[in-house]
Amino acid sequence: MARDPLKRHTTGRTATASLPPFEWVVELHGPAVLRFCVVEVGPAGAEDCFQEALLSALRAYDAVRDAGAIRAWLFSIAARKAIDTHRARARAPEPVEDIESLAGAEENALRDDTLWAEVRALPHKQRQAVMLRFAGDLSHAEIAAVMATSEPAARRNVFEGLVQLRKGRE
Amino acid sequence: MNDDTSPLEESLRSAAPLDPGAWERTRRELAARAEAEDLVDVAFERHDSPLGPILLGATPEGLVRVGLPSEDEDAVLDELARRVSARVLFAPRDAVTRARRQLDEYFGGWRRAFDVELDWRLTAGFRREVLRATAQIPYGQTASYRQVATQAGSPAAVRAAGTALATNPLPILVPCHRVLRSDGALGSYRGGPEAKAQLLCLEGAV
């Protein structure tokens, strides 16, 4: 997307003075958040996970103080929702999905899910860092914010995740 | 450890494409859920008209903003975020649906008055009085800036009346295009003079 209307909300004025219309948040960051949800919970639960995350964000939007940190904030909500999804699945293991829902999932399935299946098998921190970096397209600083860690630690998690993936592919 | 893009990183990026159909569908569902849960303070939609695309925004109280084709859409949404609420979302809402249908009828030539709840919060004081007076001008008729100023209670405030009309948040529905200069010239219009002439022509007023 060529334009970045969120930019003007992060420069030259206090962040609390104005938040961008939530529509811009959806338009600019929504696709990356959905991609992150798809790799995190798989195509079947991704859209619901995405919607839950965005609804939570909309509910809490008034409390956002720094318009420049919206993207990282949005992904931390999505990461929490993904954990909720995993927990719910663990509590009530889903029956084998019927043909219909599988067909629906197929439609937005990833072209090469085997690679992401390998990512899903990584230790939690590496897995999340790699997903935020490559499905969410976040900077290392943003990954650090989402994972409540330092930027060097975030960078290391991405790096170590990639090393593990390479090892597995050799 | 560096940022050079390796083949693996390339694969990771390209292995996460998004089906445009899936994105549009989930976005529509999100909007419907947000609206159902009363999380949207300003719901808006775009509407194609003979003037060009019109932006229609509504609060729960009613239609709050009509953005004409000449206006920058981002600027309109930004204004709504600043002056009403940042919880602005492209979402379906009855007031907007009604306004869209009635606009089609109006541009088709078979509707002469609008029946849509209006939220006047983007205008106040004398300006609001001017716009309320303007709302009384019947289809196909015109008034002068002085007449609406007088109707609003300040016959001398012709210039202020002009400003009120130039900043009308609800053009077309509040028919500021029906206010002309007393010498008969069209005067200015938020949507540009051509749009003003087009609307008056549609109504058979010029």
Side-chain angles (χ1 to χ4, degrees), chain A residues 3 8-9 21-24 30-31 34-35 47-48 50-52 54-55 58-59 61 107-108 110 115-116 134 137 159 166, chain B residues 1 6 8-9 11-13 15-16 18-19 22-23 25-27 29-30 33-34 37 39 74 77-78 86-90:
Chain A
R3 64 183 192 146
R8 71 179 113 115
H9 285 268
F22 194 75
E23 176 65 26
W24 295 355
L34 179 57
R35 261 198 308 272
E47 291 184 24
D48 197 54
F50 166 82
Q51 288 169 21
E52 290 292 336
L54 271 285
L55 289 171
L58 183 53
R59 245 176 245 123
Y61 195 44
E107 199 182 319
N108 61 6
L110 303 168
L115 182 52
W116 285 103
F134 298 103
D137 204 23
F159 178 76
R166 272 193 204 100
Chain B
M1 204 186 299
S6 68
L8 175 61
E9 291 171 55
S11 315
L12 283 166
R13 282 188 207 281
L18 214 53
D19 184 316
W23 167 242
R25 180 181 62 237
T26 194
R27 186 185 173 142
E29 280 171 20
L30 169 67
R33 286 177 72 178
E37 291 185 32
L39 294 175
D74 283 346
L77 294 184
D78 198 23
R87 300 203 301 185
V88 177
L89 196 66
F90 188 83

Short mmCIF file of all heavy atoms in Angstrom, two decimals, chain A residues 3 8-9 21-24 30-31 34-35 47-48 50-52 54-55 58-59 61 107-108 110 115-116 134 137 159 166, chain B residues 1 6 8-9 11-13 15-16 18-19 22-23 25-27 29-30 33-34 37 39 74 77-78 86-90:
data_model
loop_
_atom_site.label_atom_id
_atom_site.label_comp_id
_atom_site.label_asym_id
_atom_site.label_seq_id
_atom_site.Cartn_x
_atom_site.Cartn_y
_atom_site.Cartn_z
N ARG A 3 0.23 4.59 0.37
CA ARG A 3 0.09 5.67 1.34
C ARG A 3 0.27 5.15 2.75
O ARG A 3 0.10 3.97 3.02
CB ARG A 3 -1.28 6.31 1.19
CG ARG A 3 -2.36 5.32 1.52
CD ARG A 3 -3.71 5.91 1.31
NE ARG A 3 -4.64 4.98 1.94
CZ ARG A 3 -5.73 5.30 2.54
NH1 ARG A 3 -6.08 6.57 2.61
NH2 ARG A 3 -6.51 4.42 3.09
N ARG A 8 1.07 10.54 9.76
CA ARG A 8 0.91 11.91 10.22
C ARG A 8 0.39 11.98 11.64
O ARG A 8 0.37 13.02 12.27
CB ARG A 8 0.04 12.72 9.25
CG ARG A 8 -1.41 12.38 9.22
CD ARG A 8 -2.06 13.32 8.20
NE ARG A 8 -2.52 12.56 7.07
CZ ARG A 8 -3.82 12.43 6.75
NH1 ARG A 8 -4.73 13.04 7.47
NH2 ARG A 8 -4.19 11.74 5.72
N HIS A 9 -0.03 10.83 12.16
CA HIS A 9 -0.49 10.82 13.54
C HIS A 9 0.65 10.56 14.51
O HIS A 9 0.48 10.59 15.70
CB HIS A 9 -1.57 9.77 13.74
CG HIS A 9 -2.88 10.20 13.17
ND1 HIS A 9 -3.83 10.85 13.91
CD2 HIS A 9 -3.37 10.12 11.91
CE1 HIS A 9 -4.86 11.13 13.14
NE2 HIS A 9 -4.61 10.70 11.93
N PRO A 21 -8.42 7.05 12.43
CA PRO A 21 -9.65 6.27 12.34
C PRO A 21 -9.31 4.78 12.38
O PRO A 21 -8.35 4.36 11.73
CB PRO A 21 -10.22 6.63 10.96
CG PRO A 21 -9.52 7.88 10.56
CD PRO A 21 -8.21 7.92 11.27
N PHE A 22 -10.07 4.00 13.13
CA PHE A 22 -9.75 2.58 13.26
C PHE A 22 -9.73 1.89 11.89
O PHE A 22 -9.01 0.93 11.68
CB PHE A 22 -10.75 1.90 14.20
CG PHE A 22 -10.32 0.53 14.64
CD1 PHE A 22 -9.33 0.38 15.59
CD2 PHE A 22 -10.89 -0.60 14.08
CE1 PHE A 22 -8.91 -0.88 15.98
CE2 PHE A 22 -10.48 -1.87 14.47
CZ PHE A 22 -9.49 -2.01 15.42
N GLU A 23 -10.52 2.42 10.98
CA GLU A 23 -10.54 1.87 9.61
C GLU A 23 -9.13 1.80 9.01
O GLU A 23 -8.79 0.84 8.33
CB GLU A 23 -11.45 2.75 8.74
CG GLU A 23 -11.50 2.37 7.28
CD GLU A 23 -12.12 1.00 7.02
OE1 GLU A 23 -12.93 0.55 7.85
OE2 GLU A 23 -11.79 0.39 6.00
N TRP A 24 -8.32 2.81 9.26
CA TRP A 24 -6.96 2.81 8.71
C TRP A 24 -6.12 1.72 9.34
O TRP A 24 -5.24 1.13 8.69
CB TRP A 24 -6.30 4.16 8.92
CG TRP A 24 -6.95 5.28 8.17
CD1 TRP A 24 -7.99 5.16 7.28
CD2 TRP A 24 -6.63 6.67 8.25
NE1 TRP A 24 -8.34 6.40 6.81
CE2 TRP A 24 -7.53 7.34 7.38
CE3 TRP A 24 -5.69 7.39 8.97
CZ2 TRP A 24 -7.49 8.72 7.21
CZ3 TRP A 24 -5.65 8.77 8.81
CH2 TRP A 24 -6.54 9.43 7.93
N GLY A 30 -4.36 -4.97 8.99
CA GLY A 30 -5.23 -6.15 9.01
C GLY A 30 -4.67 -7.33 8.24
O GLY A 30 -4.60 -8.45 8.79
N PRO A 31 -4.26 -7.15 6.98
CA PRO A 31 -3.79 -8.31 6.22
C PRO A 31 -2.61 -9.03 6.89
O PRO A 31 -2.57 -10.25 6.94
CB PRO A 31 -3.37 -7.70 4.87
CG PRO A 31 -4.23 -6.49 4.74
CD PRO A 31 -4.37 -5.94 6.14
N LEU A 34 -3.89 -10.99 9.85
CA LEU A 34 -4.58 -12.21 9.41
C LEU A 34 -3.56 -13.27 8.99
O LEU A 34 -3.69 -14.44 9.33
CB LEU A 34 -5.56 -11.89 8.27
CG LEU A 34 -6.32 -13.09 7.69
CD1 LEU A 34 -7.12 -13.83 8.77
CD2 LEU A 34 -7.28 -12.65 6.58
N ARG A 35 -2.53 -12.85 8.26
CA ARG A 35 -1.47 -13.80 7.86
C ARG A 35 -0.83 -14.45 9.08
O ARG A 35 -0.61 -15.65 9.14
CB ARG A 35 -0.38 -13.05 7.07
CG ARG A 35 -0.49 -13.18 5.57
CD ARG A 35 0.80 -12.82 4.87
NE ARG A 35 1.35 -11.53 5.27
CZ ARG A 35 1.01 -10.38 4.69
NH1 ARG A 35 0.16 -10.36 3.69
NH2 ARG A 35 1.54 -9.25 5.10
N GLU A 47 -9.49 -16.99 10.76
CA GLU A 47 -10.35 -15.82 10.58
C GLU A 47 -11.04 -15.45 11.88
O GLU A 47 -11.20 -14.27 12.20
CB GLU A 47 -11.36 -16.08 9.46
CG GLU A 47 -10.65 -16.14 8.11
CD GLU A 47 -11.59 -16.29 6.92
OE1 GLU A 47 -12.76 -15.90 7.04
OE2 GLU A 47 -11.14 -16.80 5.89
N ASP A 48 -11.43 -16.46 12.66
CA ASP A 48 -12.07 -16.16 13.93
C ASP A 48 -11.08 -15.53 14.89
O ASP A 48 -11.40 -14.56 15.60
CB ASP A 48 -12.67 -17.45 14.52
CG ASP A 48 -13.69 -17.12 15.59
OD1 ASP A 48 -14.61 -16.34 15.29
OD2 ASP A 48 -13.55 -17.61 16.73
N PHE A 50 -8.47 -13.80 14.09
CA PHE A 50 -8.25 -12.44 13.59
C PHE A 50 -9.39 -11.51 14.04
O PHE A 50 -9.16 -10.42 14.55
CB PHE A 50 -8.16 -12.46 12.06
CG PHE A 50 -8.28 -11.10 11.42
CD1 PHE A 50 -7.18 -10.26 11.34
CD2 PHE A 50 -9.49 -10.66 10.91
CE1 PHE A 50 -7.30 -9.01 10.76
CE2 PHE A 50 -9.62 -9.41 10.33
CZ PHE A 50 -8.52 -8.59 10.26
N GLN A 51 -10.62 -11.97 13.84
CA GLN A 51 -11.77 -11.12 14.19
C GLN A 51 -11.81 -10.85 15.70
O GLN A 51 -12.06 -9.72 16.13
CB GLN A 51 -13.07 -11.77 13.72
CG GLN A 51 -13.22 -11.71 12.21
CD GLN A 51 -14.36 -12.58 11.70
OE1 GLN A 51 -15.26 -12.92 12.44
NE2 GLN A 51 -14.30 -12.93 10.42
N GLU A 52 -11.55 -11.89 16.51
CA GLU A 52 -11.52 -11.70 17.96
C GLU A 52 -10.47 -10.67 18.34
O GLU A 52 -10.69 -9.81 19.19
CB GLU A 52 -11.21 -13.03 18.66
CG GLU A 52 -12.32 -14.06 18.60
CD GLU A 52 -13.55 -13.63 19.42
OE1 GLU A 52 -13.37 -12.81 20.35
OE2 GLU A 52 -14.66 -14.10 19.13
N LEU A 54 -9.19 -8.22 16.46
CA LEU A 54 -9.55 -6.87 16.01
C LEU A 54 -10.71 -6.30 16.84
O LEU A 54 -10.74 -5.10 17.12
CB LEU A 54 -9.90 -6.87 14.52
CG LEU A 54 -8.74 -6.65 13.52
CD1 LEU A 54 -8.32 -5.18 13.51
CD2 LEU A 54 -7.52 -7.51 13.81
N LEU A 55 -11.64 -7.16 17.24
CA LEU A 55 -12.74 -6.69 18.09
C LEU A 55 -12.21 -6.23 19.45
O LEU A 55 -12.62 -5.19 19.96
CB LEU A 55 -13.81 -7.78 18.25
CG LEU A 55 -14.65 -8.09 17.00
CD1 LEU A 55 -15.51 -9.34 17.23
CD2 LEU A 55 -15.55 -6.91 16.63
N LEU A 58 -10.56 -2.93 18.95
CA LEU A 58 -11.54 -1.85 18.79
C LEU A 58 -12.14 -1.47 20.15
O LEU A 58 -12.32 -0.30 20.45
CB LEU A 58 -12.64 -2.30 17.81
CG LEU A 58 -13.73 -1.30 17.44
CD1 LEU A 58 -13.14 0.01 16.95
CD2 LEU A 58 -14.65 -1.90 16.37
N ARG A 59 -12.40 -2.49 20.98
CA ARG A 59 -12.95 -2.25 22.31
C ARG A 59 -11.99 -1.39 23.13
O ARG A 59 -12.41 -0.51 23.88
CB ARG A 59 -13.17 -3.59 23.03
CG ARG A 59 -14.62 -3.89 23.30
CD ARG A 59 -14.76 -5.29 23.92
NE ARG A 59 -15.49 -6.16 23.01
CZ ARG A 59 -15.04 -7.30 22.52
NH1 ARG A 59 -13.84 -7.76 22.85
NH2 ARG A 59 -15.77 -8.00 21.69
N TYR A 61 -9.54 0.55 21.94
CA TYR A 61 -8.85 1.53 21.11
C TYR A 61 -8.69 2.89 21.78
O TYR A 61 -7.65 3.52 21.68
CB TYR A 61 -9.60 1.68 19.78
CG TYR A 61 -8.80 2.38 18.69
CD1 TYR A 61 -7.47 2.07 18.47
CD2 TYR A 61 -9.40 3.35 17.90
CE1 TYR A 61 -6.75 2.71 17.47
CE2 TYR A 61 -8.68 4.00 16.90
CZ TYR A 61 -7.36 3.67 16.69
OH TYR A 61 -6.64 4.31 15.71
N GLU A 107 -9.35 -22.88 0.91
CA GLU A 107 -9.43 -21.66 0.11
C GLU A 107 -8.38 -20.62 0.52
O GLU A 107 -7.81 -19.94 -0.31
CB GLU A 107 -10.83 -21.07 0.28
CG GLU A 107 -11.22 -20.09 -0.78
CD GLU A 107 -12.60 -19.53 -0.49
OE1 GLU A 107 -13.47 -20.30 -0.06
OE2 GLU A 107 -12.78 -18.32 -0.67
N ASN A 108 -8.16 -20.51 1.84
CA ASN A 108 -7.17 -19.51 2.25
C ASN A 108 -5.93 -20.18 2.81
O ASN A 108 -5.15 -19.58 3.54
CB ASN A 108 -7.77 -18.52 3.25
CG ASN A 108 -8.25 -19.21 4.50
OD1 ASN A 108 -8.03 -20.40 4.67
ND2 ASN A 108 -8.87 -18.47 5.39
N LEU A 110 -2.24 -21.84 3.05
CA LEU A 110 -0.96 -21.37 2.54
C LEU A 110 -0.50 -22.28 1.42
O LEU A 110 -0.78 -23.47 1.42
CB LEU A 110 0.06 -21.41 3.66
CG LEU A 110 -0.39 -20.59 4.86
CD1 LEU A 110 0.51 -20.88 6.03
CD2 LEU A 110 -0.37 -19.13 4.51
N LEU A 115 6.44 -25.67 5.33
CA LEU A 115 7.44 -24.79 5.94
C LEU A 115 6.92 -24.21 7.25
O LEU A 115 7.61 -24.20 8.27
CB LEU A 115 7.80 -23.68 4.95
CG LEU A 115 8.87 -22.68 5.38
CD1 LEU A 115 10.13 -23.39 5.86
CD2 LEU A 115 9.21 -21.75 4.23
N TRP A 116 5.65 -23.75 7.21
CA TRP A 116 5.09 -23.17 8.44
C TRP A 116 4.82 -24.24 9.48
O TRP A 116 4.86 -23.98 10.67
CB TRP A 116 3.83 -22.36 8.12
CG TRP A 116 4.21 -21.06 7.48
CD1 TRP A 116 4.14 -20.72 6.18
CD2 TRP A 116 4.82 -19.94 8.16
NE1 TRP A 116 4.65 -19.46 5.98
CE2 TRP A 116 5.07 -18.96 7.17
CE3 TRP A 116 5.18 -19.68 9.48
CZ2 TRP A 116 5.65 -17.73 7.47
CZ3 TRP A 116 5.76 -18.45 9.79
CH2 TRP A 116 5.99 -17.50 8.78
N PHE A 134 8.10 -12.86 9.79
CA PHE A 134 7.91 -13.19 8.37
C PHE A 134 6.45 -13.26 7.92
O PHE A 134 6.16 -13.05 6.75
CB PHE A 134 8.66 -14.49 8.03
CG PHE A 134 10.13 -14.35 8.23
CD1 PHE A 134 10.76 -14.88 9.34
CD2 PHE A 134 10.89 -13.61 7.32
CE1 PHE A 134 12.12 -14.71 9.55
CE2 PHE A 134 12.26 -13.44 7.52
CZ PHE A 134 12.87 -13.99 8.64
N ASP A 137 5.54 -9.39 9.34
CA ASP A 137 6.41 -8.37 8.78
C ASP A 137 6.77 -7.28 9.80
O ASP A 137 6.87 -6.11 9.47
CB ASP A 137 5.74 -7.74 7.54
CG ASP A 137 6.78 -7.14 6.60
OD1 ASP A 137 7.95 -7.57 6.66
OD2 ASP A 137 6.42 -6.22 5.84
N PHE A 159 16.78 -15.24 14.78
CA PHE A 159 17.98 -15.86 14.22
C PHE A 159 18.06 -17.34 14.56
O PHE A 159 18.28 -18.19 13.69
CB PHE A 159 19.22 -15.11 14.72
CG PHE A 159 20.51 -15.70 14.25
CD1 PHE A 159 20.94 -15.49 12.93
CD2 PHE A 159 21.31 -16.46 15.10
CE1 PHE A 159 22.13 -16.04 12.49
CE2 PHE A 159 22.50 -17.01 14.66
CZ PHE A 159 22.91 -16.79 13.35
N ARG A 166 16.85 -24.23 9.24
CA ARG A 166 17.84 -24.65 8.25
C ARG A 166 18.34 -26.05 8.56
O ARG A 166 18.47 -26.89 7.68
CB ARG A 166 19.01 -23.67 8.22
CG ARG A 166 18.75 -22.53 7.27
CD ARG A 166 20.00 -21.71 6.98
NE ARG A 166 19.54 -20.40 6.57
CZ ARG A 166 19.52 -19.34 7.36
NH1 ARG A 166 19.99 -19.43 8.60
NH2 ARG A 166 19.08 -18.20 6.93
N MET B 1 25.15 -12.75 12.29
CA MET B 1 23.74 -12.34 12.31
C MET B 1 23.59 -11.04 11.51
O MET B 1 24.13 -10.02 11.87
CB MET B 1 23.33 -12.08 13.77
CG MET B 1 21.85 -12.21 13.99
SD MET B 1 21.40 -11.73 15.67
CE MET B 1 22.32 -12.90 16.67
N SER B 6 18.04 -14.35 3.18
CA SER B 6 18.44 -15.68 2.72
C SER B 6 17.28 -16.31 1.97
O SER B 6 16.15 -15.85 2.07
CB SER B 6 18.80 -16.53 3.94
OG SER B 6 17.62 -16.79 4.69
N LEU B 8 15.84 -18.99 2.66
CA LEU B 8 14.86 -19.47 3.64
C LEU B 8 13.90 -18.34 4.03
O LEU B 8 12.69 -18.53 4.11
CB LEU B 8 15.57 -20.02 4.88
CG LEU B 8 14.65 -20.45 6.04
CD1 LEU B 8 13.72 -21.58 5.61
CD2 LEU B 8 15.48 -20.88 7.25
N GLU B 9 14.49 -17.17 4.28
CA GLU B 9 13.64 -16.03 4.66
C GLU B 9 12.68 -15.66 3.54
O GLU B 9 11.52 -15.33 3.78
CB GLU B 9 14.51 -14.83 5.05
CG GLU B 9 15.26 -15.07 6.35
CD GLU B 9 16.29 -13.99 6.65
OE1 GLU B 9 15.91 -12.82 6.69
OE2 GLU B 9 17.46 -14.34 6.81
N SER B 11 11.48 -17.74 1.35
CA SER B 11 10.43 -18.76 1.33
C SER B 11 9.39 -18.48 2.41
O SER B 11 8.20 -18.63 2.19
CB SER B 11 11.00 -20.15 1.57
OG SER B 11 12.14 -20.34 0.79
N LEU B 12 9.88 -18.09 3.59
CA LEU B 12 8.94 -17.81 4.69
C LEU B 12 8.01 -16.67 4.31
O LEU B 12 6.81 -16.72 4.55
CB LEU B 12 9.71 -17.47 5.96
CG LEU B 12 10.33 -18.66 6.70
CD1 LEU B 12 11.32 -18.18 7.74
CD2 LEU B 12 9.25 -19.51 7.36
N ARG B 13 8.58 -15.63 3.71
CA ARG B 13 7.74 -14.49 3.32
C ARG B 13 6.74 -14.88 2.24
O ARG B 13 5.57 -14.55 2.31
CB ARG B 13 8.61 -13.33 2.79
CG ARG B 13 9.29 -12.56 3.88
CD ARG B 13 9.96 -11.32 3.31
NE ARG B 13 11.10 -10.93 4.13
CZ ARG B 13 10.98 -10.27 5.27
NH1 ARG B 13 9.80 -9.91 5.71
NH2 ARG B 13 12.04 -9.95 5.97
N ALA B 15 5.65 -17.77 1.51
CA ALA B 15 4.76 -18.88 1.87
C ALA B 15 3.60 -18.41 2.72
O ALA B 15 2.84 -19.19 3.22
CB ALA B 15 5.53 -19.96 2.59
N ALA B 16 3.49 -17.11 2.89
CA ALA B 16 2.37 -16.60 3.69
C ALA B 16 1.52 -15.62 2.89
O ALA B 16 1.30 -14.50 3.30
CB ALA B 16 2.90 -15.94 4.96
N LEU B 18 -1.96 -14.15 1.19
CA LEU B 18 -3.33 -14.05 1.67
C LEU B 18 -4.26 -14.06 0.47
O LEU B 18 -4.09 -13.30 -0.46
CB LEU B 18 -3.48 -12.74 2.45
CG LEU B 18 -4.42 -12.76 3.62
CD1 LEU B 18 -4.10 -13.87 4.58
CD2 LEU B 18 -4.34 -11.42 4.33
N ASP B 19 -5.22 -14.95 0.52
CA ASP B 19 -6.22 -14.99 -0.53
C ASP B 19 -7.07 -13.71 -0.42
O ASP B 19 -7.64 -13.44 0.63
CB ASP B 19 -7.08 -16.24 -0.30
CG ASP B 19 -8.10 -16.42 -1.39
OD1 ASP B 19 -8.72 -15.43 -1.78
OD2 ASP B 19 -8.27 -17.57 -1.83
N ALA B 22 -10.48 -14.28 0.89
CA ALA B 22 -10.53 -14.56 2.33
C ALA B 22 -10.43 -13.26 3.11
O ALA B 22 -11.14 -13.05 4.10
CB ALA B 22 -9.40 -15.50 2.73
N TRP B 23 -9.56 -12.38 2.65
CA TRP B 23 -9.39 -11.11 3.35
C TRP B 23 -10.67 -10.29 3.30
O TRP B 23 -11.14 -9.79 4.33
CB TRP B 23 -8.22 -10.32 2.76
CG TRP B 23 -8.17 -8.90 3.20
CD1 TRP B 23 -8.28 -7.79 2.42
CD2 TRP B 23 -8.03 -8.42 4.55
NE1 TRP B 23 -8.22 -6.66 3.20
CE2 TRP B 23 -8.07 -7.02 4.51
CE3 TRP B 23 -7.90 -9.05 5.79
CZ2 TRP B 23 -7.98 -6.22 5.65
CZ3 TRP B 23 -7.80 -8.27 6.93
CH2 TRP B 23 -7.84 -6.87 6.85
N ARG B 25 -13.69 -11.30 2.86
CA ARG B 25 -14.75 -11.95 3.61
C ARG B 25 -14.58 -11.72 5.11
O ARG B 25 -15.52 -11.32 5.80
CB ARG B 25 -14.75 -13.47 3.31
CG ARG B 25 -15.83 -14.24 4.07
CD ARG B 25 -15.77 -15.72 3.76
NE ARG B 25 -14.51 -16.32 4.18
CZ ARG B 25 -13.68 -16.97 3.37
NH1 ARG B 25 -13.98 -17.12 2.11
NH2 ARG B 25 -12.54 -17.46 3.83
N THR B 26 -13.38 -11.91 5.59
CA THR B 26 -13.18 -11.79 7.04
C THR B 26 -13.32 -10.32 7.48
O THR B 26 -13.78 -10.03 8.58
CB THR B 26 -11.83 -12.40 7.49
OG1 THR B 26 -11.84 -12.54 8.90
CG2 THR B 26 -10.65 -11.57 7.08
N ARG B 27 -12.97 -9.42 6.59
CA ARG B 27 -13.11 -8.01 6.90
C ARG B 27 -14.60 -7.62 7.00
O ARG B 27 -15.00 -6.87 7.88
CB ARG B 27 -12.43 -7.21 5.79
CG ARG B 27 -12.38 -5.74 6.06
CD ARG B 27 -11.79 -5.03 4.86
NE ARG B 27 -11.90 -3.62 5.08
CZ ARG B 27 -10.98 -2.74 4.73
NH1 ARG B 27 -9.90 -3.15 4.13
NH2 ARG B 27 -11.15 -1.47 4.97
N GLU B 29 -17.01 -9.71 7.77
CA GLU B 29 -17.52 -10.34 8.99
C GLU B 29 -17.12 -9.54 10.22
O GLU B 29 -17.90 -9.37 11.14
CB GLU B 29 -17.01 -11.78 9.10
CG GLU B 29 -17.79 -12.75 8.24
CD GLU B 29 -17.15 -14.15 8.19
OE1 GLU B 29 -16.35 -14.47 9.10
OE2 GLU B 29 -17.46 -14.88 7.24
N LEU B 30 -15.88 -9.06 10.20
CA LEU B 30 -15.41 -8.23 11.32
C LEU B 30 -16.29 -7.00 11.48
O LEU B 30 -16.73 -6.66 12.59
CB LEU B 30 -13.96 -7.81 11.07
CG LEU B 30 -13.41 -6.73 12.00
CD1 LEU B 30 -13.29 -7.26 13.43
CD2 LEU B 30 -12.07 -6.20 11.52
N ARG B 33 -19.67 -7.94 12.91
CA ARG B 33 -19.60 -8.27 14.33
C ARG B 33 -19.38 -7.02 15.18
O ARG B 33 -19.97 -6.86 16.24
CB ARG B 33 -18.46 -9.27 14.58
CG ARG B 33 -18.79 -10.68 14.10
CD ARG B 33 -17.61 -11.62 14.30
NE ARG B 33 -17.38 -11.94 15.73
CZ ARG B 33 -16.43 -12.77 16.14
NH1 ARG B 33 -15.61 -13.35 15.27
NH2 ARG B 33 -16.28 -13.02 17.43
N ALA B 34 -18.52 -6.13 14.71
CA ALA B 34 -18.24 -4.89 15.44
C ALA B 34 -19.52 -4.07 15.57
O ALA B 34 -19.81 -3.51 16.63
CB ALA B 34 -17.15 -4.09 14.74
N GLU B 37 -21.95 -5.64 18.02
CA GLU B 37 -21.53 -5.48 19.41
C GLU B 37 -21.45 -4.01 19.83
O GLU B 37 -20.88 -3.69 20.87
CB GLU B 37 -20.18 -6.17 19.64
CG GLU B 37 -20.26 -7.68 19.55
CD GLU B 37 -18.94 -8.37 19.90
OE1 GLU B 37 -18.18 -7.84 20.74
OE2 GLU B 37 -18.66 -9.42 19.31
N LEU B 39 -19.65 -1.58 18.80
CA LEU B 39 -18.29 -1.07 18.99
C LEU B 39 -17.95 0.03 18.00
O LEU B 39 -16.87 0.62 18.07
CB LEU B 39 -17.29 -2.23 18.81
CG LEU B 39 -17.36 -3.33 19.87
CD1 LEU B 39 -16.42 -4.47 19.51
CD2 LEU B 39 -17.03 -2.77 21.24
N ASP B 74 -9.59 10.52 3.00
CA ASP B 74 -8.80 10.36 4.22
C ASP B 74 -9.02 11.53 5.18
O ASP B 74 -9.09 11.35 6.39
CB ASP B 74 -7.30 10.25 3.89
CG ASP B 74 -6.94 8.87 3.36
OD1 ASP B 74 -7.78 7.95 3.51
OD2 ASP B 74 -5.85 8.73 2.80
N LEU B 77 -12.38 11.08 6.95
CA LEU B 77 -12.32 10.07 8.01
C LEU B 77 -11.51 10.58 9.20
O LEU B 77 -11.86 10.36 10.36
CB LEU B 77 -11.70 8.77 7.48
CG LEU B 77 -12.52 8.02 6.43
CD1 LEU B 77 -11.84 6.70 6.06
CD2 LEU B 77 -13.94 7.77 6.89
N ASP B 78 -10.44 11.29 8.90
CA ASP B 78 -9.60 11.85 9.95
C ASP B 78 -10.39 12.87 10.78
O ASP B 78 -10.31 12.89 12.01
CB ASP B 78 -8.38 12.51 9.30
CG ASP B 78 -7.26 12.73 10.31
OD1 ASP B 78 -7.24 12.03 11.33
OD2 ASP B 78 -6.43 13.62 10.06
N ALA B 86 -12.56 7.98 17.32
CA ALA B 86 -11.62 7.27 16.45
C ALA B 86 -12.16 5.90 16.05
O ALA B 86 -11.60 5.23 15.18
CB ALA B 86 -10.26 7.13 17.14
N ARG B 87 -13.24 5.49 16.72
CA ARG B 87 -13.80 4.17 16.36
C ARG B 87 -14.66 4.30 15.10
O ARG B 87 -15.89 4.18 15.12
CB ARG B 87 -14.57 3.59 17.54
CG ARG B 87 -13.63 3.42 18.76
CD ARG B 87 -14.09 2.41 19.74
NE ARG B 87 -15.40 2.70 20.30
CZ ARG B 87 -15.96 1.96 21.26
NH1 ARG B 87 -15.33 0.92 21.73
NH2 ARG B 87 -17.14 2.28 21.72
N VAL B 88 -13.98 4.62 14.03
CA VAL B 88 -14.58 4.80 12.71
C VAL B 88 -14.33 3.52 11.92
O VAL B 88 -13.19 3.06 11.85
CB VAL B 88 -13.91 5.98 11.97
CG1 VAL B 88 -14.48 6.14 10.57
CG2 VAL B 88 -14.06 7.27 12.76
N LEU B 89 -15.37 2.94 11.35
CA LEU B 89 -15.17 1.70 10.60
C LEU B 89 -16.10 1.62 9.41
O LEU B 89 -17.26 2.03 9.48
CB LEU B 89 -15.39 0.50 11.52
CG LEU B 89 -14.85 -0.85 11.03
CD1 LEU B 89 -13.33 -0.85 10.95
CD2 LEU B 89 -15.33 -1.98 11.95
N PHE B 90 -15.58 1.09 8.32
CA PHE B 90 -16.39 0.79 7.13
C PHE B 90 -17.32 -0.36 7.53
O PHE B 90 -16.88 -1.49 7.66
CB PHE B 90 -15.44 0.38 6.00
CG PHE B 90 -16.10 0.22 4.66
CD1 PHE B 90 -16.34 1.31 3.85
CD2 PHE B 90 -16.48 -1.04 4.21
CE1 PHE B 90 -16.94 1.17 2.61
CE2 PHE B 90 -17.09 -1.19 2.97
CZ PHE B 90 -17.32 -0.08 2.17
#
